[in-house]
Amino acid sequence: MKKVLMTLAVAFVAVAANAQVYVGGNVGIASSKIGNGDNVTTYKVLPEVGYNINKDWAVGTTLGWGKGTPVKIEGESHNYFTVQPYARYTFVHSKYVNVFVDGGFGYTHYNHAHQGPLAASINEWEAGLRPGLAVNLSPKVSFVTHIGFVGWKSVKADVSGAKANNVWGASLNGNDITFGVYYNF
């Protein structure tokens, strides 16, 4: 076991020494009200790790959790877990600002999204693009924001015979903005 841990540590240090790894993540918070319903506050904490292949391309993944609302369950808000691997293409480079787009897929599991006798969890799949902006505060630290989502989402209750609800399109509302900080090794 010690040899495995030592090998992983050496591999991490070797990759980090090449200044190609970044760690950080995003947080998001929003409050919404539908009709005469109560205000619903949602949040997300999305730690992230990535690897820069070259100056234009990177790959990474987000693994996080939060409290939010699935597409078909308006007015309710439940805890969830998500994993979202991506490939990033940076198409504008400057000393202080980079503009990029993340293309990838994601899986989110909402815990017991329905209450009462129809209690069920919800599974959500997505594939699409997330545009973003990185402000380089220093060579090692970047402020990063993702704005919106363009693509496909499918939401299905985790019960026998349930049908999926599919959504195609673009979402650029306040619930789709995240802010974060990256540390570049």
Side-chain angles (χ1 to χ4, degrees):
M1 184 66 171
K2 288 181 185 180
K3 289 181 183 180
V4 171
L5 292 175
M6 183 58 89
T7 303
L8 289 174
V10 169
F12 179 77
V13 169
V15 170
N18 289 329
Q20 295 178 335
V21 173
Y22 57 90
V23 295
N26 293 293
V27 294
I29 189 163
S31 180
S32 61
K33 183 174 181 177
I34 300 172
N36 292 329
D38 293 334
N39 284 334
V40 176
T41 300
T42 59
Y43 65 87
K44 53 183 134 185
V45 178
L46 306 170
E48 188 173 333
V49 63
Y51 178 78
N52 292 308
I53 298 169
N54 58 38
K55 80 173 199 133
D56 293 333
W57 287 96
V59 293
T61 190
T62 299
L63 183 68
W65 61 93
K67 180 181 174 190
T69 306
V71 174
K72 191 63 179 163
I73 307 173
E74 300 198 8
E76 296 182 26
S77 187
H78 299 279
N79 295 331
Y80 66 85
F81 167 80
T82 189
V83 59
Q84 300 172 348
Y86 63 85
R88 173 173 294 166
Y89 179 69
T90 303
F91 54 91
V92 174
H93 298 274
S94 76
K95 183 176 179 181
Y96 299 108
V97 177
N98 295 338
V99 181
F100 61 86
V101 64
D102 290 350
F105 64 93
Y107 169 74
T108 304
H109 179 79
Y110 293 87
N111 292 323
H112 305 292
H114 289 295
Q115 302 299 321
L118 299 175
S121 296
I122 298 288
N123 294 311
E124 177 181 273
W125 292 91
E126 67 179 37
L129 303 173
R130 292 190 193 295
L133 179 76
V135 177
N136 303 316
L137 303 175
S138 76
K140 296 286 186 189
V141 178
S142 299
F143 173 78
V144 179
T145 184
H146 290 87
I147 305 159
F149 177 79
V150 176
W152 164 84
K153 288 187 180 185
S154 178
V155 178
K156 183 178 176 186
D158 194 11
V159 295
S160 178
K163 299 214 184 263
N165 295 307
N166 296 301
V167 177
W168 289 92
S171 177
L172 299 172
N173 65 39
N175 290 331
D176 291 315
I177 298 174
T178 58
F179 300 99
V181 176
Y182 288 0
Y183 181 80
N184 304 293
F185 288 95

